[in-house]
Amino acid sequence: KAVAHNFKQVKKVSGKKIKVMAVVKANAYGHGTVEVSEVLERLGVDYPGVATTDEAMRLRDHGIKTPILILGHVLPQEVKSAIERDITLTVSSEELLSAIRKVASSAKKATIHIKIDTGMGRLGIWHEEAMNFIKNRAADKNIIVEGIYTHFSSVGRDDFFTAYQFDSFEKILSKLESFDIN
């Protein structure tokens, strides 16, 4: 009931045009990945977000049909099964993009989100190299870029660095306004 209430509040505040991703990684933070995802799917969540391929596969195995985004690192050997099961991949390296290129086809396109590293230092294409990476990916007709995101490292603890990360990400977004990714 609490999950349903919270989701309804988020939808109410964000408006109907805003898509909502519910992060259900790590067993939905102890509340049950499958159980929480089932409730959210019935309520119309746009995406559950998970950390690993195993978590995404578990949701598919339990009948979750909603698009699923893997937020964490995906191993090249996991790409084929993820694409076959319509799981959206976070691309954070040339290595992973290369693995996706080998599997994606006109019959089974891959959907991806590109993660930009604006200073977190974990996963992502370094923000100063992001446009070259995105332009390079644009030639891939079998890969659909559905989203782009970053991860703020210290919101509420370091306003200066958060502003730096935000500004770095905004610069990329402004360049993308005039660039057709797909």
Side-chain angles (χ1 to χ4, degrees):
K1 288 181 182 180
V3 168
H5 172 77
N6 291 345
F7 178 76
K8 289 174 186 176
Q9 292 302 308
V10 167
K11 284 301 280 186
K12 183 177 171 183
V13 170
S14 64
K16 293 181 181 183
K17 292 183 181 180
I18 301 295
K19 290 188 175 190
V20 176
M21 175 184 293
V23 178
V24 295
K25 66 182 186 130
N27 197 30
Y29 300 95
H31 299 289
T33 300
V34 172
E35 297 83 352
V36 169
S37 296
E38 288 171 342
V39 168
L40 292 168
E41 185 173 57
R42 279 194 302 271
L43 294 171
V45 74
D46 296 289
Y47 259 102
V50 298
T52 66
T53 305
D54 287 345
E55 289 177 334
M57 295 298 184
R58 183 164 187 257
L59 290 179
R60 285 288 186 252
D61 290 345
H62 283 86
I64 299 298
K65 304 263 187 276
T66 305
I68 299 167
L69 175 64
I70 300 173
L71 297 161
H73 182 69
V74 175
L75 298 172
Q77 60 267 27
E78 297 172 328
V79 168
K80 185 176 186 223
S81 57
I83 291 173
E84 287 172 351
R85 308 243 358 234
D86 293 319
I87 295 168
T88 304
L89 304 170
T90 289
V91 174
S92 58
S93 70
E94 287 285 351
E95 175 190 26
L96 183 58
L97 184 59
S98 177
I100 293 169
R101 282 182 173 133
K102 290 176 185 172
V103 175
S105 68
S106 58
K108 194 65 175 172
K109 294 186 180 199
T111 303
I112 67 169
H113 287 212
I114 298 173
K115 183 168 185 187
I116 307 298
D117 184 349
T118 55
M120 181 77 177
R122 272 196 241 158
L123 291 174
I125 306 303
W126 186 243
H127 63 94
E128 293 174 352
E129 300 163 5
M131 284 308 297
N132 286 336
F133 181 86
I134 292 166
K135 287 176 183 176
N136 180 29
R137 202 290 321 146
D140 298 313
K141 300 304 178 202
N142 298 327
I143 300 174
I144 300 163
V145 177
E146 184 179 66
I148 180 171
Y149 70 99
T150 192
H151 188 165
F152 295 108
S153 65
S154 49
V155 172
R157 293 188 321 259
D158 186 341
D159 293 341
F160 178 80
F161 193 66
T162 300
Y164 166 79
Q165 285 189 272
F166 186 81
D167 184 56
S168 297
F169 191 64
E170 283 282 308
K171 285 178 183 172
I172 293 165
L173 295 179
S174 68
K175 290 176 186 173
L176 285 175
E177 287 178 358
S178 62
F179 182 74
D180 183 22
I181 294 176
N182 287 315

